[in-house]
Each structure stands twice: as C-alpha cells, then as structure tokens.
Amino acid sequence: MPENGTPHGPTSPHGTPDAQATPEARDTPAPGAARPGGAGAFAGRTVSRIGYGVMQLERLHADRPAALAVLRRALELGVDHLDTAQFYGDGFTNDLIREAVRPDDGVLVVTKVGATPDPDGPLPLRPAQRPEQLRADVEANLAALGTDRLAIVNLRRLDLGPGLTAEGDQVVDVEDQLAVLTELRDEGKIGAIGLSAVTMEVLRRALPAGIVCVQNAYSMVSRDNEDMLELCAAEGVAWVPFFPLGSGFPGLPKVTEEPAVRAVAASLGSTPEQVGLAWLLRRAPNVLLIPGTSRVAHLEANLAAGTLVLDDEQGAALDAVASRPMSQARLG
C-alpha cells in the first residue's frame, strides 16, 4: 500500500499500481512548484499551508474533464493536501482523486466521516454518527479511493451549527465514536484521526486519543473558536478552518464585505478573498487552509493568497474587525 495513504494510481499492464510513494516524496512538492502559503506541519508531515478542499467539484458532476482539470491544476501549483469525503457528490470527488493523484505525487489525502448523502432532504446530507456507520463510511472511502489506508480521517461531529443536527440515535458520545476509529487505526486502515465541528469540551475529551487536526468554522468575522485555536497550537494540532471567508448561509457574516478588508485589498492590489485567507495564515503557524472552488482561475487566486504579506498596520486593522458569533446568526 502507499505509505502516505494516497489512492492507487494508474495500473501497469500487469494490474499492479505504478511506483509507490517513498518517505522522501511525502515531504516534497510537485517538481518546480513551491508550496502555496509555505510549509506547514500536519500529523508529522510537511504540507502546503494552502491545500484544496474538493467539495465544490460536486458542481462539475456533469463535466468530469473540467473537474479533473481543476484538481490537476492544484497539484501542478504545489498543493499536496486535499480534503475530501465519500459523501461529497456521493463518491464523485473521491473518484476524481483516485484518477488524478498518483501514489508518488506525495499528496496527503484527508477524508471525513459522519454523514451520508440525502439528495432529497432539506440538506443534501443526513447524519451518520453511530459507530457502525463510521466504520462503514471508512470502508467506503477506502474502496472509492482505491487504497488500503486512509492517511487522516476527520470525524464530522454535529456539535455546532450551521447545518446538520443530530437527533435520536444519532446523538452519540464522542468516546464511542473514537473507540471505533481507534480500532480502525490499530487495524492499519486509518493513519490518524481528526475532528470537525466540535466544542471545546469534546476536543478536550478527544485529545488523549491522539487528535491531529480540528476543522471548525473560523474566519476573521467569526472567531467563536479562538480558544480552541490556541489550545490546538499549544498541543501541536493543525487548525483547518471551514468557512474561512465567512459563510454562504443567509444571515452569517462575510469577510469580503468588511470595509477594512476591502481597504487592505485595494492597497495590496489583491482581492478581499485573498486578504481574508492571508489573515488566517498570519493568525497562527498551525493554521492550514483548504479553500474550495470549481474554477481554475479561482483556484489560482486562492493559492496566490499565500504570497501576500500583511504589514503590522494592515494586520492590526484586520484584527480589529468585529467578530460575530455564529450562534447569534439567523439562518434563512
């Protein structure tokens, strides 16, 4: 199996995978490509601080070549950290990764469990929090990616909004969930365990299991989880925020609408989106980003945010932007 948990690449005429990843390849970006945002630490690996979240490639389900073009462009530009889940496009994004990423590309593929597709529901997903569902979802990710080991699996809890909520038998103690994920790690099917959408209490209860990353909503305008970011930094845990520019949900704040962000962007000749991402990279060294898009031009702009340098005056102006708790926002 590939040491880095990436999917098997194209096979030879004999049906065996092409060259496997080596330890050296795991810490080396694509030839000639600098790591976007610089180098960051993740579960004992070195990766680009700006990775790529593939979820939005669901939008290109009817145009597979276009979806592959976006993914391959990310790799060409030095991205070596991909965020995916079997429930993204009901396996579509995992299938793309299996085709586009070769074992010797040295790409860290991070998957997620805790939900399952529900195309006809009010949200396109429904909870899948029970231990047997988590095990089944790990197996589904393994099969779809064509590998026998997932480098990192994030447990998508339902402790925080917006979005899915847990009811009935989907309300499960984190200890019970970590028990099955730890078993899978002991079996060699998982390399490491992360968390997503969790409270500080749950994070503290989970840390003894060896958590390597936390994915929570966090941006310049929604810093509810500042104390968790600080704890993760102290514990050597990667902080991988979703909604890095605020949320698309109605009623939630957006970084790009802030006058201070627009002013800094104008002074730098950049976009407000790039300023919002650059602020996150400046916030703490354990911050890793996975901005998503379904367009090559937007991908390139996101990765270019890693070259922005905010001076102390600009940083102070952005730090002063008011944070609005997501818990107080109203969803439409």
Side-chain angles (χ1 to χ4, degrees):
M1 53 161 277
E3 288 188 49
N4 61 351
T6 54
H8 297 314
T11 57
S12 73
H14 302 290
T16 57
D18 284 343
Q20 303 295 295
T22 65
E24 292 77 19
R26 292 184 300 174
D27 282 335
T28 305
R35 286 192 169 95
F42 196 176
R45 289 267 311 264
T46 301
V47 298
S48 54
R49 291 190 68 197
I50 305 181
Y52 176 48
V54 305
M55 183 177 68
Q56 291 193 35
L57 291 182
E58 294 176 337
R59 300 176 180 181
L60 298 176
H61 203 286
D63 192 350
R64 185 182 183 88
L68 286 168
V70 177
L71 184 53
R72 286 171 172 150
R73 183 59 176 152
L75 303 181
E76 289 172 359
L77 293 174
V79 168
D80 55 7
H81 165 207
L82 299 176
D83 184 82
T84 186
Q86 180 64 11
F87 55 78
Y88 291 168
D90 199 8
F92 178 67
T93 61
N94 275 351
D95 191 47
L96 294 173
I97 292 172
R98 181 173 184 171
E99 179 173 347
V101 180
R102 298 166 58 92
D104 55 356
D105 287 337
V107 175
L108 180 68
V109 178
V110 181
T111 64
K112 191 180 292 93
V113 296
T116 192
D118 186 17
D120 298 325
L123 293 172
L125 299 173
R126 63 175 177 268
Q129 295 282 296
R130 294 187 59 78
E132 67 272 16
Q133 293 173 314
L134 299 179
R135 176 174 280 275
D137 205 1
V138 166
E139 296 290 353
N141 276 280
L142 286 165
L145 288 167
T147 186
D148 49 16
R149 180 177 179 270
L150 303 173
I152 299 173
V153 172
N154 285 322
L155 167 61
R156 172 62 158 95
R157 291 272 300 177
L158 306 178
D159 301 329
L160 303 172
L164 290 176
T165 57
E167 299 177 347
D169 68 356
Q170 290 298 314
V171 179
V172 183
D173 285 343
V174 69
E175 288 82 3
D176 293 336
Q177 296 173 317
L178 290 173
V180 69
L181 294 177
T182 301
E183 288 175 2
L184 287 160
R185 187 176 62 190
D186 292 344
E187 293 167 13
K189 294 182 177 182
I190 289 177
I193 302 168
L195 299 172
S196 178
V198 294
T199 62
M200 174 65 90
E201 177 199 1
V202 167
L203 173 59
R204 290 190 183 279
R205 287 160 56 188
L207 280 174
I211 300 303
V212 299
C213 63
V214 173
Q215 289 187 356
N216 269 24
Y218 182 82
S219 71
M220 187 189 306
V221 296
S222 296
R223 300 192 296 273
D224 308 40
N225 295 308
E226 192 76 32
D227 55 346
M228 295 179 67
L229 167 57
E230 293 174 358
L231 176 60
C232 286
E235 295 287 337
V237 173
W239 181 259
V240 190
F242 60 84
F243 294 161
L245 299 175
S247 174
F249 282 94
L252 295 181
K254 297 174 178 59
V255 170
T256 55
E257 296 176 354
E258 292 296 321
V261 174
R262 291 182 173 274
V264 170
S267 69
L268 293 174
S270 63
T271 67
E273 291 85 354
Q274 290 172 324
V275 170
L277 296 176
W279 179 87
L280 285 166
L281 292 175
R282 185 178 188 270
R283 194 67 175 169
N286 66 317
V287 172
L288 304 176
L289 303 181
I290 48 169
T293 181
S294 59
R295 295 184 294 114
V296 169
H298 191 198
L299 168 75
E300 293 173 346
N302 286 340
L303 299 183
T307 65
L308 289 188
V309 178
L310 303 173
D311 63 28
D312 290 342
E313 182 178 354
Q314 293 164 334
L318 297 174
D319 290 345
V321 170
S323 172
R324 278 86 82 193
M326 282 199 172
S327 59
Q328 295 178 9
R330 293 168 53 190
L331 300 185

